[in-house]
Amino acid sequence: MAKHDIEQGLITSQDLPKLAEAGHVEAPAVGRNLQELRQAVQDTLVGQWSLMGVIDTGKKASDLGKKAADALTDKAKKDEDAATHREKDARDEAHRKMNEDKAKKKGKEASAALGASANAFASALSDLRA
């Protein structure tokens, strides 16, 4: 290897066999002729396309997983809303029933008080007539 190549930091393809013999770099596996180079490029492209297919399949699976998670979230939200609505209805019904019970109790008390008043009035009227 020439001294000026080291000083300039340039390594040429002519230097690779010498460097490989010295154990510094591997000798190039392809590129000795056009057919080897073409085959290496084709093999590399096939590998990349295969990898792209795997990545694409993974992305599709990820998208499907996201859609499924969104669907479950939407269903859970609907179920939660329905449960909240049922709880509100039950609470309203309980309040209505309590108010009815209070009204009945007050009605009985008022009726009893009215009966006692009517009885006292009738008794007082009898006493006046006698």
Side-chain angles (χ1 to χ4, degrees):
M1 189 151 98
K3 184 175 181 183
H4 70 278
D5 287 346
I6 294 173
E7 291 172 356
Q8 294 175 359
L10 301 175
I11 297 174
T12 64
S13 61
Q14 296 166 350
D15 296 327
L16 289 176
K18 293 177 189 174
L19 288 170
E21 287 175 13
H24 295 291
V25 294
E26 289 184 31
V30 296
R32 291 191 179 94
N33 64 36
L34 185 59
Q35 183 61 27
E36 287 180 11
L37 182 60
R38 181 174 290 138
Q39 185 62 42
V41 169
Q42 287 175 348
D43 292 345
T44 301
L45 287 175
V46 166
Q48 285 180 336
W49 290 334
S50 176
L51 180 60
M52 289 170 60
V54 169
I55 290 171
D56 188 49
T57 301
K59 185 178 179 326
K60 286 179 183 176
S62 173
D63 291 345
L64 286 174
K66 185 180 179 307
K67 285 180 184 179
D70 289 346
L72 285 174
T73 301
D74 291 346
K75 180 166 178 8
K77 178 71 173 132
K78 287 178 185 176
D79 291 347
E80 181 182 9
D81 290 346
T84 301
H85 187 71
R86 286 191 304 268
E87 179 184 2
K88 181 188 174 298
D89 289 346
R91 189 173 39 248
D92 290 347
E93 179 65 23
H95 283 276
R96 187 186 61 74
K97 181 138 176 64
M98 285 188 331
N99 289 338
E100 281 180 5
D101 291 346
K102 284 181 186 177
K104 284 180 184 177
K105 182 179 177 184
K106 293 224 183 252
K108 285 179 184 177
E109 289 172 358
S111 176
L114 183 62
S117 296
N119 193 20
F121 181 74
S123 179
L125 190 61
S126 294
D127 289 344
L128 282 175
R129 288 187 184 160

